[in-house]
Each structure stands twice: as structure tokens, then as C-alpha cells.
Amino acid sequence: MVNINLTNLIVATTLVETITVIIVYFKKNQGKFIAKWYNNLRIGAFFMDVLSAIAPVFLSLFLNNNIFIQGLIIIFIELLHDLTFGYFISKYKGNSTVLNIFKGYAKEGKFYILFFDQLILISTLIIYHLFNYFNINKQIITLIGFILFYIVLMFIYSF
């Protein structure tokens, strides 16, 4: 059985997503819909981003022990997810706030979304492995996670 350190995975994902939020808020010519995503949905948007990043990384860790093969698995899963979800969103005609923001984001971001989603997931995988490689104490990792949540809350509710 594969031993996945869930604390390290959650904190690695939180670190990458926190950096993403900071970049979004400081980028001068950010897309309208990525800003709407965080401005309208706030912490819910952040948690959805974290959870959607944890799943493919977790699955890749579960399926293989080699970091390069894990990266390939992540790329495959994310491409399949983004293309399938993009197709579904393009056909959606309802009133869901979340899905309508996604629809606008997909039109605005097009194929750049695929690149940036891959960057987020591969970064999460690398940071996860760095946490494990340096054998950082679980309490320190947890503290880092709490600090990151504080930082992201400050950004999401301040700007």
C-alpha cells in the first residue's frame, strides 16, 4: 500500500494556491473572471481550488512511486478533466454563480487554463516531495498550513 502523507499534500497544495491568489491580486491585467472567482466566492473559491488540486496529485501518488510518472499521470488527469469540464461548461445554460463564472473564465482563458492548471498541479507535486525529502516535522508543516490559511484569508478579504 502506498503511504501518502496527507498533511504534506494539503499544505503543499495550500502553499501553491496561496501563491496563486497573491499573483491574481497583484497582477495588473488579470482576467475579469479569475478576479470575479475570488471576489464573489472568496474562501469558497479557494477551497474549491485546493480540493481540485489535491485530487489529481493524490491519485498520481497513489498510482505510482516515481515522481516523473506521477507528473505524467497528473498531466493526463488534468487534461482529461479540463477538456471534459470545458465541454460541459460550454453547453451549460443555467443560473449557477459558480458555473457561470467558470463559463466566462473558460471563454476568457481558453488554452492558457490548461497550462496554468498543469503548473499548479506539478508545483504541488514537487513541493509535496520536497516536504517529504527534507522530512520536515509534521507539527511544523501544520503550522505552515495555518500561516498560509491566514495569509490567503487576508488577501481574499482585504483586496
Side-chain angles (χ1 to χ4, degrees), residues 14-35:
T14 302
L15 174 60
V16 172
E17 292 295 346
T18 300
I19 292 167
T20 301
V21 167
I22 292 169
I23 290 169
V24 165
Y25 278 102
F26 281 115
K27 189 177 175 193
K28 290 184 186 348
N29 59 350
Q30 68 181 343
K32 180 173 87 171
F33 287 94
I34 190 74

mmCIF file of all heavy atoms in Angstrom, residues 14-35:
data_model
loop_
_atom_site.group_PDB
_atom_site.id
_atom_site.type_symbol
_atom_site.label_atom_id
_atom_site.label_comp_id
_atom_site.label_asym_id
_atom_site.label_seq_id
_atom_site.Cartn_x
_atom_site.Cartn_y
_atom_site.Cartn_z
ATOM 1 N N THR A 14 -2.010 24.021 -0.461
ATOM 2 C CA THR A 14 -2.357 25.325 0.103
ATOM 3 C C THR A 14 -1.280 26.360 -0.218
ATOM 4 O O THR A 14 -1.599 27.507 -0.549
ATOM 5 C CB THR A 14 -2.571 25.206 1.630
ATOM 6 O OG1 THR A 14 -3.595 24.243 1.871
ATOM 7 C CG2 THR A 14 -2.977 26.535 2.235
ATOM 8 N N LEU A 15 -0.019 25.960 -0.152
ATOM 9 C CA LEU A 15 1.077 26.876 -0.484
ATOM 10 C C LEU A 15 0.974 27.331 -1.940
ATOM 11 O O LEU A 15 1.030 28.534 -2.235
ATOM 12 C CB LEU A 15 2.432 26.202 -0.234
ATOM 13 C CG LEU A 15 3.670 26.983 -0.674
ATOM 14 C CD1 LEU A 15 3.759 28.327 0.043
ATOM 15 C CD2 LEU A 15 4.924 26.162 -0.437
ATOM 16 N N VAL A 16 0.800 26.395 -2.849
ATOM 17 C CA VAL A 16 0.714 26.738 -4.273
ATOM 18 C C VAL A 16 -0.509 27.609 -4.545
ATOM 19 O O VAL A 16 -0.421 28.617 -5.260
ATOM 20 C CB VAL A 16 0.693 25.462 -5.143
ATOM 21 C CG1 VAL A 16 0.400 25.792 -6.597
ATOM 22 C CG2 VAL A 16 2.020 24.718 -5.018
ATOM 23 N N GLU A 17 -1.638 27.275 -3.963
ATOM 24 C CA GLU A 17 -2.856 28.053 -4.197
ATOM 25 C C GLU A 17 -2.779 29.436 -3.546
ATOM 26 O O GLU A 17 -3.326 30.404 -4.069
ATOM 27 C CB GLU A 17 -4.095 27.295 -3.717
ATOM 28 C CG GLU A 17 -4.408 26.054 -4.532
ATOM 29 C CD GLU A 17 -4.782 26.313 -5.985
ATOM 30 O OE1 GLU A 17 -5.072 27.474 -6.360
ATOM 31 O OE2 GLU A 17 -4.776 25.344 -6.754
ATOM 32 N N THR A 18 -2.096 29.549 -2.420
ATOM 33 C CA THR A 18 -1.901 30.858 -1.777
ATOM 34 C C THR A 18 -1.054 31.756 -2.677
ATOM 35 O O THR A 18 -1.378 32.932 -2.875
ATOM 36 C CB THR A 18 -1.246 30.706 -0.393
ATOM 37 O OG1 THR A 18 -2.099 29.908 0.439
ATOM 38 C CG2 THR A 18 -1.013 32.055 0.270
ATOM 39 N N ILE A 19 -0.001 31.205 -3.232
ATOM 40 C CA ILE A 19 0.824 31.962 -4.175
ATOM 41 C C ILE A 19 -0.006 32.373 -5.382
ATOM 42 O O ILE A 19 0.089 33.515 -5.863
ATOM 43 C CB ILE A 19 2.073 31.147 -4.582
ATOM 44 C CG1 ILE A 19 3.007 30.989 -3.380
ATOM 45 C CG2 ILE A 19 2.788 31.796 -5.762
ATOM 46 C CD1 ILE A 19 4.107 29.966 -3.569
ATOM 47 N N THR A 20 -0.860 31.485 -5.851
ATOM 48 C CA THR A 20 -1.741 31.796 -6.987
ATOM 49 C C THR A 20 -2.657 32.963 -6.652
ATOM 50 O O THR A 20 -2.816 33.885 -7.459
ATOM 51 C CB THR A 20 -2.577 30.551 -7.367
ATOM 52 O OG1 THR A 20 -1.688 29.483 -7.706
ATOM 53 C CG2 THR A 20 -3.498 30.841 -8.539
ATOM 54 N N VAL A 21 -3.259 32.944 -5.467
ATOM 55 C CA VAL A 21 -4.145 34.039 -5.050
ATOM 56 C C VAL A 21 -3.378 35.354 -4.997
ATOM 57 O O VAL A 21 -3.858 36.384 -5.479
ATOM 58 C CB VAL A 21 -4.804 33.733 -3.677
ATOM 59 C CG1 VAL A 21 -5.461 34.971 -3.084
ATOM 60 C CG2 VAL A 21 -5.833 32.614 -3.823
ATOM 61 N N ILE A 22 -2.185 35.330 -4.429
ATOM 62 C CA ILE A 22 -1.377 36.560 -4.336
ATOM 63 C C ILE A 22 -1.054 37.084 -5.729
ATOM 64 O O ILE A 22 -1.178 38.284 -5.993
ATOM 65 C CB ILE A 22 -0.098 36.296 -3.506
ATOM 66 C CG1 ILE A 22 -0.482 36.041 -2.043
ATOM 67 C CG2 ILE A 22 0.876 37.460 -3.623
ATOM 68 C CD1 ILE A 22 0.652 35.503 -1.180
ATOM 69 N N ILE A 23 -0.681 36.207 -6.642
ATOM 70 C CA ILE A 23 -0.396 36.629 -8.018
ATOM 71 C C ILE A 23 -1.642 37.231 -8.661
ATOM 72 O O ILE A 23 -1.570 38.273 -9.317
ATOM 73 C CB ILE A 23 0.151 35.452 -8.853
ATOM 74 C CG1 ILE A 23 1.555 35.087 -8.374
ATOM 75 C CG2 ILE A 23 0.150 35.787 -10.343
ATOM 76 C CD1 ILE A 23 2.085 33.784 -8.938
ATOM 77 N N VAL A 24 -2.785 36.593 -8.471
ATOM 78 C CA VAL A 24 -4.039 37.100 -9.051
ATOM 79 C C VAL A 24 -4.332 38.506 -8.539
ATOM 80 O O VAL A 24 -4.701 39.393 -9.311
ATOM 81 C CB VAL A 24 -5.221 36.154 -8.748
ATOM 82 C CG1 VAL A 24 -6.568 36.818 -9.011
ATOM 83 C CG2 VAL A 24 -5.089 34.883 -9.575
ATOM 84 N N TYR A 25 -4.147 38.737 -7.258
ATOM 85 C CA TYR A 25 -4.480 40.049 -6.697
ATOM 86 C C TYR A 25 -3.466 41.140 -7.061
ATOM 87 O O TYR A 25 -3.814 42.314 -7.070
ATOM 88 C CB TYR A 25 -4.659 39.968 -5.181
ATOM 89 C CG TYR A 25 -6.040 39.475 -4.824
ATOM 90 C CD1 TYR A 25 -6.254 38.163 -4.427
ATOM 91 C CD2 TYR A 25 -7.143 40.318 -4.919
ATOM 92 C CE1 TYR A 25 -7.523 37.713 -4.121
ATOM 93 C CE2 TYR A 25 -8.412 39.873 -4.617
ATOM 94 C CZ TYR A 25 -8.595 38.570 -4.226
ATOM 95 O OH TYR A 25 -9.861 38.119 -3.931
ATOM 96 N N PHE A 26 -2.226 40.759 -7.370
ATOM 97 C CA PHE A 26 -1.230 41.770 -7.712
ATOM 98 C C PHE A 26 -1.019 41.939 -9.213
ATOM 99 O O PHE A 26 -0.389 42.900 -9.632
ATOM 100 C CB PHE A 26 0.101 41.480 -7.025
ATOM 101 C CG PHE A 26 0.116 41.906 -5.591
ATOM 102 C CD1 PHE A 26 0.236 40.969 -4.585
ATOM 103 C CD2 PHE A 26 -0.024 43.245 -5.249
ATOM 104 C CE1 PHE A 26 0.239 41.358 -3.258
ATOM 105 C CE2 PHE A 26 -0.024 43.638 -3.921
ATOM 106 C CZ PHE A 26 0.107 42.696 -2.924
ATOM 107 N N LYS A 27 -1.523 41.011 -9.998
ATOM 108 C CA LYS A 27 -1.360 41.107 -11.446
ATOM 109 C C LYS A 27 -2.239 42.245 -11.971
ATOM 110 O O LYS A 27 -3.439 42.280 -11.726
ATOM 111 C CB LYS A 27 -1.745 39.780 -12.106
ATOM 112 C CG LYS A 27 -1.407 39.719 -13.564
ATOM 113 C CD LYS A 27 -1.741 38.360 -14.127
ATOM 114 C CE LYS A 27 -1.514 38.368 -15.625
ATOM 115 N NZ LYS A 27 -2.096 37.219 -16.258
ATOM 116 N N LYS A 28 -1.624 43.160 -12.690
ATOM 117 C CA LYS A 28 -2.340 44.359 -13.147
ATOM 118 C C LYS A 28 -3.402 44.059 -14.199
ATOM 119 O O LYS A 28 -4.484 44.601 -14.160
ATOM 120 C CB LYS A 28 -1.342 45.374 -13.694
ATOM 121 C CG LYS A 28 -0.468 46.007 -12.639
ATOM 122 C CD LYS A 28 0.414 47.058 -13.255
ATOM 123 C CE LYS A 28 1.435 47.685 -12.387
ATOM 124 N NZ LYS A 28 1.559 47.605 -11.057
ATOM 125 N N ASN A 29 -3.115 43.201 -15.140
ATOM 126 C CA ASN A 29 -4.065 42.926 -16.211
ATOM 127 C C ASN A 29 -4.652 41.519 -16.097
ATOM 128 O O ASN A 29 -4.719 40.786 -17.063
ATOM 129 C CB ASN A 29 -3.414 43.137 -17.581
ATOM 130 C CG ASN A 29 -2.199 42.253 -17.784
ATOM 131 O OD1 ASN A 29 -1.722 41.618 -16.850
ATOM 132 N ND2 ASN A 29 -1.698 42.211 -18.997
ATOM 133 N N GLN A 30 -5.076 41.199 -14.896
ATOM 134 C CA GLN A 30 -5.665 39.881 -14.667
ATOM 135 C C GLN A 30 -6.984 39.758 -15.416
ATOM 136 O O GLN A 30 -7.613 40.740 -15.755
ATOM 137 C CB GLN A 30 -5.892 39.649 -13.174
ATOM 138 C CG GLN A 30 -6.979 40.548 -12.582
ATOM 139 C CD GLN A 30 -7.147 40.303 -11.111
ATOM 140 O OE1 GLN A 30 -6.716 39.295 -10.608
ATOM 141 N NE2 GLN A 30 -7.775 41.214 -10.419
ATOM 142 N N GLY A 31 -7.388 38.555 -15.660
ATOM 143 C CA GLY A 31 -8.657 38.317 -16.322
ATOM 144 C C GLY A 31 -9.829 38.731 -15.443
ATOM 145 O O GLY A 31 -9.760 38.691 -14.221
ATOM 146 N N LYS A 32 -10.894 39.118 -16.091
ATOM 147 C CA LYS A 32 -12.092 39.560 -15.379
ATOM 148 C C LYS A 32 -12.702 38.418 -14.556
ATOM 149 O O LYS A 32 -13.143 38.621 -13.432
ATOM 150 C CB LYS A 32 -13.104 40.093 -16.398
ATOM 151 C CG LYS A 32 -14.399 40.578 -15.792
ATOM 152 C CD LYS A 32 -15.284 41.244 -16.831
ATOM 153 C CE LYS A 32 -16.125 40.206 -17.512
ATOM 154 N NZ LYS A 32 -17.173 40.759 -18.384
ATOM 155 N N PHE A 33 -12.688 37.222 -15.108
ATOM 156 C CA PHE A 33 -13.387 36.121 -14.443
ATOM 157 C C PHE A 33 -12.583 35.474 -13.321
ATOM 158 O O PHE A 33 -13.174 34.975 -12.369
ATOM 159 C CB PHE A 33 -13.853 35.086 -15.471
ATOM 160 C CG PHE A 33 -15.002 35.592 -16.281
ATOM 161 C CD1 PHE A 33 -14.783 36.202 -17.507
ATOM 162 C CD2 PHE A 33 -16.297 35.524 -15.802
ATOM 163 C CE1 PHE A 33 -15.834 36.702 -18.252
ATOM 164 C CE2 PHE A 33 -17.354 36.019 -16.528
ATOM 165 C CZ PHE A 33 -17.132 36.616 -17.762
ATOM 166 N N ILE A 34 -11.259 35.496 -13.406
ATOM 167 C CA ILE A 34 -10.472 34.971 -12.281
ATOM 168 C C ILE A 34 -10.634 35.899 -11.082
ATOM 169 O O ILE A 34 -10.736 35.449 -9.937
ATOM 170 C CB ILE A 34 -8.982 34.738 -12.652
ATOM 171 C CG1 ILE A 34 -8.256 33.959 -11.544
ATOM 172 C CG2 ILE A 34 -8.252 36.025 -12.931
ATOM 173 C CD1 ILE A 34 -8.589 32.522 -11.473
ATOM 174 N N ALA A 35 -10.704 37.207 -11.342
ATOM 175 C CA ALA A 35 -10.948 38.162 -10.257
ATOM 176 C C ALA A 35 -12.348 37.957 -9.683
ATOM 177 O O ALA A 35 -12.550 37.986 -8.465
ATOM 178 C CB ALA A 35 -10.783 39.588 -10.771
#
